Amino acid sequence: MTTRQGSVLIVSESDDLHAAAMQATLREQYGVATLRLDLRDFPRESGSFRLDGSATTRTLAGLPGLDDVRAVWWRRPHPSRVPAGVRADDDAYRQAECDAFAQGLLWSLPARWVNDPGHDRLAHRKIVQLDTARRTGCAIPETLITNDPGEAREFIENTAGRVVFKRTGTSRAEFAETRLVEPADLDRLGAIRWAPTIFQRYIDPECDLRVVWVDGQEWVVRIDSRAGAGRVDSRLDISVDFSPARLPAAVSKSLATLMGTLGLSFGVLDLRVGLDGMHYFLEVNPQGQFAYLEIKTGLPIFASLAGLLAHGDSAVPGW
């Protein structure tokens, strides 16, 4: 297979196992060199952008060859890490300047982006996801996102069946699993005033589906969530059976429209198949985890994403 010259840049944490595995896949299966960048290394290590009449030259955190990058995996970017000074206002100014420089330098690269940073940022907003999914034909559980304790209580009391609650944001704070609302939680609803929360009708599962979307290629994994402890939130329950699956054509079409509308070429989607047979959209993570899905099922997800980064084709021969 012939590919054009240039490397692939992976922007992520320095200890990210997904990034390391992608480096190996690109090297071994596609013969493509990679660069790794943890934005927390800047401004401790310097960067520069030089422009003249004929060319540009970029360096950032000691990385050479940025101008020859063919594709960027915007995997798990961090803000720059600016040491604390004496005045908070000065720290905020320096942080803003460093972030503006690093992001501008990278985002100006004429490369294939997975995902485009602007689309990635917008798609991380749960309200944007849910509203877009509804408009593109996905089934959505009845949902309320609010910081109003009274409205939350009314939703919980008037929803047919049980209700779950979960985070609205996607920061790297401590992982918070989706939980059923219990009677004791009603006495703590006042806390949502300072932390808007998602409340949804609980869907009793036939199974859960985790879909790794790679530029139109669907890698679907069925999770036997009824068999394990994770019937409410199956994301961390690896004790149950995982198996390759397929989506109904109508569901696949809706997800394709959703991802296209969000402008994402990559994402990990969580669906729940209810006892009523409906496929309910729960969320999409533009930087979602998927290595364990490949380990569990043998699906060639890394090869698919590496193909997209290497030459713009996510299809894997033989699959």
Side-chain angles (χ1 to χ4, degrees):
M1 180 184 299
T2 301
T3 58
R4 65 186 179 89
Q5 295 298 309
S7 58
V8 171
L9 172 64
I10 301 173
V11 183
S12 190
E13 303 154 331
S14 57
D15 58 352
D16 180 16
L17 297 180
H18 281 71
M22 182 56 68
Q23 278 190 292
T25 304
L26 285 164
R27 180 181 64 250
E28 295 167 6
Q29 297 192 28
Y30 295 96
V32 173
T34 56
L35 300 173
R36 290 275 300 274
L37 174 63
D38 188 333
L39 284 169
R40 293 173 296 185
D41 291 336
F42 178 77
R44 177 176 53 83
E45 296 189 37
S46 62
S48 297
F49 175 78
R50 183 181 293 263
L51 175 69
D52 60 28
S54 59
T56 57
T57 305
R58 299 169 176 84
T59 59
L60 185 63
L63 281 183
L66 284 175
D67 294 283
D68 297 323
V69 163
R70 74 173 73 175
V72 181
W73 186 18
W74 193 244
R75 160 69 185 149
R76 299 197 77 186
H78 279 269
S80 304
R81 179 177 284 170
V82 177
V86 177
R87 296 179 67 248
D89 287 348
D90 291 342
D91 292 346
Y93 171 81
R94 293 187 300 153
Q95 184 70 56
E97 292 298 290
C98 286
D99 288 341
F101 170 81
Q103 292 167 4
L105 184 146
L106 291 174
W107 296 354
S108 66
L109 285 170
R112 179 184 302 112
W113 283 83
V114 182
N115 289 298
D116 174 274
H119 294 157
D120 185 282
R121 184 174 184 177
L122 182 66
H124 263 98
R125 300 297 178 252
K126 298 288 183 67
I127 294 175
V128 172
Q129 292 181 18
L130 289 166
D131 187 58
T132 306
R134 179 193 60 80
R135 289 187 285 107
T136 55
C138 298
I140 311 290
E142 291 87 339
T143 300
L144 172 68
I145 306 176
T146 186
N147 75 329
D148 185 329
E151 192 170 356
R153 179 181 290 272
E154 181 183 10
F155 179 83
I156 294 166
E157 293 176 345
N158 293 331
T159 297
R162 303 199 66 181
V163 171
V164 297
F165 66 98
K166 54 188 174 181
R167 291 181 61 195
T168 301
T170 57
S171 71
R172 289 184 177 86
E174 182 178 352
F175 175 79
E177 65 178 333
T178 300
R179 293 175 47 201
L180 284 165
V181 175
E182 302 292 351
D185 295 319
L186 297 176
D187 296 329
R188 295 193 289 267
L189 284 176
I192 72 170
R193 178 68 68 189
W194 315 111
T197 299
I198 299 174
F199 298 91
Q200 280 185 330
R201 177 171 66 89
Y202 173 64
I203 304 299
D204 199 14
E206 173 62 32
C207 67
D208 285 299
L209 299 175
R210 198 157 171 88
V211 182
V212 184
W213 175 274
V214 188
D215 198 37
Q217 182 78 49
E218 298 169 349
W219 302 103
V220 186
V221 177
R222 183 186 190 277
I223 304 172
D224 187 16
S225 45
R226 288 192 70 82
R231 288 181 60 182
V232 176
D233 190 338
S234 66
R235 288 175 293 175
L236 296 184
D237 188 357
I238 61 173
S239 65
V240 299
D241 288 339
F242 287 60
S243 57
R246 292 186 180 276
L247 296 175
V251 176
S252 181
K253 181 179 179 180
S254 292
L255 294 188
T257 306
L258 167 65
M259 297 299 279
T261 304
L262 292 175
L264 298 178
S265 54
F266 172 83
V268 181
L269 301 107
D270 289 315
L271 309 180
R272 170 155 288 192
V273 182
L275 297 180
D276 57 3
M278 295 285 289
H279 288 63
Y280 293 92
F281 170 86
L282 300 180
E283 65 176 67
V284 56
N285 186 342
Q287 300 167 9
Q289 309 283 59
F290 60 89
Y292 72 104
L293 301 175
E294 179 162 327
I295 293 169
K296 284 282 205 177
T297 65
L299 291 173
I301 303 171
F302 274 100
S304 179
L305 181 53
L308 177 62
L309 291 167
H311 55 77
D313 187 355
S314 60
V316 179
W319 289 83

